[in-house]
Structure formats: structure tokens, C-alpha cells
Amino acid sequence: VGGTFVPMGPSSVFAAAATVFFSYLGYDMVSSLAEETRNPQRDLPLGIMSTLAIAAAVYVVVTLVVTGMVPYTILVGVSAPVSVAFEGVGYHWASYVVSAGSLFGLTTATFTCLLGQPRIFYRMATDGLLFPLFADLSQQGVPVVGTLLTGVVTATIALLTTLEDLANAISGGTLLAFCVVDAGVVFLRLSTPTEKAPPAYPTDQSVSPPLRSNSRHLLLHLLFFSTCSFLAGLSFQLHYPHALTFLLLSLSLASVVGIHLLFPSVDANVPSTFRCPLVPYVPCAGVCINLFMMAGLDTSAWARLGVWSAVGLLIYVLYGQHHSSMNSPRGLLGDESEGLLHRQSTLYGSKN
């Protein structure tokens, strides 16, 4: 382990993975295009998983090739390591090709975020979690306010922020979001409705999800599992005794088994289309891995994550929770929301 393959120790692998995790940002944005897809139940999972697998394979192959071309010490602290690797073996022309390809890749990634984020704002606004102006659509069905805001904020951050700081901040936010999604799958699948009500994945936008009788106990179990997983990652990153890391991971595994035994799956909560297999083990594994990598983020990344999380929480506490569609069967926008949804489905349906 301390030889040539992992010269800086296993903890460096997780620290690097947490930093470059932003490379996978954008695949989750595809899910925001569900309303513009012909068959989202089939096409979205297939598109996300297939492109994710192809991209991950390409990342690994490129990394193996580059580290085989030149010593890794030459690439430390370099902003364009692939170009430097080609120059190091005498292929100067290839470095220009790589630089041009990187420029196109960054541009498409930016456009992906500009395409997906306004639609996330739109869906949150129709659910009452954001201000109604984000739900306004143009005659062509474009969320204008969300698009303009996303473009201005993206351009400002790109102008004022270095790539290293931006990568750490984005990776931390993405890992946290994936943790919340994984935990949400467990909660929605295993929590028990207090009364006969529609399933946890209703197709009718006017129906509110039912209250859940075992939500408090399930949340406590998830919180205990998440805490043990994060502390295990922190122990591993700080090179504490392996016995402590093993103990914390054992407690995490025991808590997952406890969730499985104490909270059986509720048939009414299982979606009829694409579903996560082996709940709670698969989503809990996702939470554990994400928290393990988050433990490798530096202090500045945690500071930025804390600030932006506090801003989002403040918006939710002061506005979102009071206007959420869960408080009313018709939601915040009422007839206006139904009209917007109908107009959007009509626009995109006519295009398809």
C-alpha cells in the first residue's frame, strides 16, 4: 500500500475521489428533463446509468494511461495534467487537441447545468418550496426567471472563483445531495402511512403525500447510521487506529440490518416503474460511501458547504415549509399551478 501504486496511502484515494466527484455533476440533471421525455420511466434510468457507466470507464482508462506515460510527481499541482503528460513524452501537438477537447467538455457541462437547474427551480416553485416567479413559463415553455438567474450566478462564480475551490465546493454539495436522496429512498420506501392514502409516488400532482406513523423512529435510525458512517470516514482520513474505524463501520452495518428488520417494506410505497433494488442496503451503501468521501474534504470546502446549506435551510424555514404543497391538496399555486403544468405538458407533448 505504501509502495508505488498508492504512494500516499489509502486515505489519499478517498480524498481525491471527494475532490474530483464534481466530474459526475450533470448526470443527475438529466432527471430534471422527465417532463420533456417521451417515455421517462424507461428512458431516464437507461440514459443516466448507461452514460454514467461509459463516462466512468473513460475516466479510469484516461487516468491509467496518463499515470503510465509520466511519473505522477510531474502532474502534482498542474492545472492541465493530460496536456502536460503528452508534452512530457514529446507529443506537443496532442496537448493542443486535449486542451481544445477540454474546452468543449467544460462548455457542454456548463450548458447541462444551465438546462437542468432552471427546471429544478420550476418544480420546486410548483411544489411551493420556492417563490412563484420561478414557475413562470414563456410561450415556448421555458422557465425564464430560473434560466436568467442560473446564467448570471454561473457566470459570476466562474469569473471570481478558482477551479480548485470550485471543485471542492461542488463536490461537497453534490455528495451531500446524493446522501439526502439515498436516505430519502429509504424513508419513502419503509415509512408507514397513518391511514389509507395514495402511495408515496403519486402521479396526480394535486394529491398530498400521507403522514407517516413511524417516521420519527426511522429518521433516528437513519441519523445514527449516517453519524457512524461519517465518523468512520473521519477516523480513516485522520489515520486513527483501524480498530476504531472497524468498530464504527460495524455499528453502521448493524444499524442497516436493524432498519431492515424493524421497518419492513410497505407495498404501497413501492413505485410501479423504476425502483431501487435491495432497500435499505443499496441506498444505505450510497450514504456510507458519500459520507466517507465527504470526510476527506478540506476545511474551506466544509465552510462553503455550511454557508450554502444554511442559505437553503433559511429559505425553507422562512418560506418553503409554510407554502409547501404538502400543506394543501391543491398546493401553493392552486389553479395557476395546474394551468402551468397543463400548458407545459401540452407544449412538450406537441413537440414529441
Side-chain angles (χ1 to χ4, degrees):
V1 172
T4 58
F5 188 71
V6 189
M8 298 183 183
S11 61
S12 64
V13 177
F14 287 93
T19 301
V20 303
F21 197 79
F22 78 98
S23 302
Y24 293 94
L25 181 66
Y27 300 100
D28 54 329
M29 291 291 182
V30 178
S31 61
S32 65
L33 304 177
E35 294 172 328
E36 304 171 52
T37 308
R38 292 180 183 272
N39 188 358
Q41 291 82 2
R42 182 202 65 184
D43 296 341
L44 283 182
L46 180 62
I48 293 175
M49 290 188 292
S50 59
T51 55
L52 187 59
I54 294 173
V58 172
Y59 289 157
V60 172
V61 170
V62 171
T63 303
L64 290 174
V65 171
V66 170
T67 54
M69 293 170 61
V70 295
Y72 78 93
T73 53
I74 298 179
L75 307 177
V76 175
V78 176
S79 59
V82 180
S83 298
V84 172
F86 277 103
E87 291 181 353
V89 295
Y91 291 97
H92 299 282
W93 61 269
S95 64
Y96 297 105
V97 176
V98 171
S99 299
S102 300
L103 179 61
F104 285 113
L106 290 173
T107 303
T108 55
T110 303
F111 282 150
T112 300
C113 295
L114 292 177
L115 177 66
Q117 190 61 53
R119 284 153 178 80
I120 295 176
F121 288 154
Y122 168 80
R123 174 52 56 196
M124 293 177 68
T126 56
D127 288 342
L129 300 177
L130 276 181
F131 312 109
L133 60 91
F134 287 100
D136 292 338
L137 298 177
S138 67
Q139 294 298 325
Q140 291 76 28
V142 177
V144 179
V145 176
T147 302
L148 292 176
L149 178 64
T150 303
V152 171
V153 172
T154 301
T156 304
I157 293 177
L159 178 65
L160 303 177
T161 309
T162 63
L163 179 60
E164 181 180 359
D165 293 337
L166 187 61
N168 287 328
I170 293 177
S171 295
T174 305
L175 288 167
L176 178 60
F178 286 2
C179 284
V180 173
V181 171
D182 287 331
V185 170
V186 178
F187 179 80
L188 289 176
R189 186 75 67 86
L190 303 184
S191 55
T192 305
T194 56
E195 57 186 14
K196 291 184 178 180
Y201 300 89
T203 56
D204 186 356
Q205 298 293 334
S206 64
V207 177
S208 298
L211 297 175
R212 305 180 185 279
S213 59
N214 63 346
S215 60
R216 179 176 298 178
H217 295 89
L218 181 56
L219 286 175
L220 289 176
H221 279 76
L222 287 173
L223 180 61
F224 177 77
F225 161 74
S226 301
T227 302
C228 291
S229 298
F230 178 74
L231 291 178
L234 199 61
S235 172
F236 182 76
Q237 295 290 341
L238 297 178
H239 306 288
Y240 285 171
H242 295 307
L244 177 60
T245 304
F246 179 77
L247 174 61
L248 292 169
L249 288 177
S250 300
L251 290 174
S252 299
L253 179 60
S255 62
V256 176
V257 175
I259 291 175
H260 175 70
L261 297 176
L262 296 175
F263 304 94
S265 179
V266 181
D267 294 336
N269 294 343
V270 179
S272 58
T273 55
F274 178 80
R275 69 199 70 179
C276 177
L278 299 176
V279 176
Y281 296 102
V282 170
C284 284
V287 172
C288 183
I289 294 172
N290 290 329
L291 290 175
F292 223 82
M293 288 191 291
M294 288 182 69
L297 295 173
D298 57 25
T299 306
S300 61
W302 278 105
R304 294 183 180 91
L305 180 61
V307 170
W308 286 109
S309 297
V311 172
L313 184 62
L314 188 65
I315 294 176
Y316 174 75
V317 170
L318 297 180
Y319 183 87
Q321 68 170 342
H322 303 293
H323 299 83
S324 173
S325 59
M326 294 182 67
N327 298 328
S328 171
R330 300 188 64 82
L332 165 68
L333 300 178
D335 296 332
E336 180 184 357
S337 176
E338 293 182 1
L340 289 170
L341 291 170
H342 175 72
R343 183 171 65 164
Q344 186 191 46
S345 62
T346 302
L347 285 168
Y348 295 133
S350 60
K351 294 179 181 179
N352 292 334

